[in-house]
Amino acid sequence: MVPVGCTECGNTGYKGRTGIHELLVGTNTLQAMIYKKAELSVIREQALKDGMRTMKQDGIVKILNGLSDHKQLLRVVAE
């Protein structure tokens, strides 16, 4: 998708700013894993099982909703 501009957005295709977020909710399982100093990869796997949306996933949702584009996502999220 390519953003379509207007006079309100200065022909950029975006008005204002939209954040791309990642939120890790500290479930009891995750808290126990962190307390026991589990490997980061194991903690991340559990977080994803518990419903965490990564920055990349959040960016893709915002692209599909017309709030951003692939170029902007690549600027903030490393592959």
Side-chain angles (χ1 to χ4, degrees):
M1 295 181 99
V2 177
V4 178
C6 66
T7 56
E8 274 192 61
C9 71
N11 292 315
T12 63
Y14 306 104
K15 181 180 175 190
R17 294 183 179 246
T18 299
I20 296 175
H21 304 92
E22 179 171 277
L23 176 64
L24 172 62
V25 177
T27 64
N28 290 336
T29 303
L30 280 174
Q31 289 175 4
M33 293 173 81
I34 292 167
Y35 180 75
K36 293 177 183 177
K37 299 184 181 186
E39 292 290 324
L40 180 58
S41 60
V42 177
I43 293 172
R44 180 177 172 81
E45 184 179 315
Q46 183 62 47
L48 290 168
K49 286 180 187 175
D50 289 348
M52 180 182 84
R53 186 188 309 186
T54 66
M55 285 181 67
K56 185 176 181 181
Q57 290 168 332
D58 189 51
I60 290 169
V61 168
K62 288 178 176 154
I63 289 169
L64 295 173
N65 289 328
L67 300 172
S68 191
D69 65 28
H70 189 250
K71 181 179 173 184
Q72 297 300 317
L73 178 59
L74 292 178
R75 283 186 40 200
V76 295
V77 179
E79 291 284 329

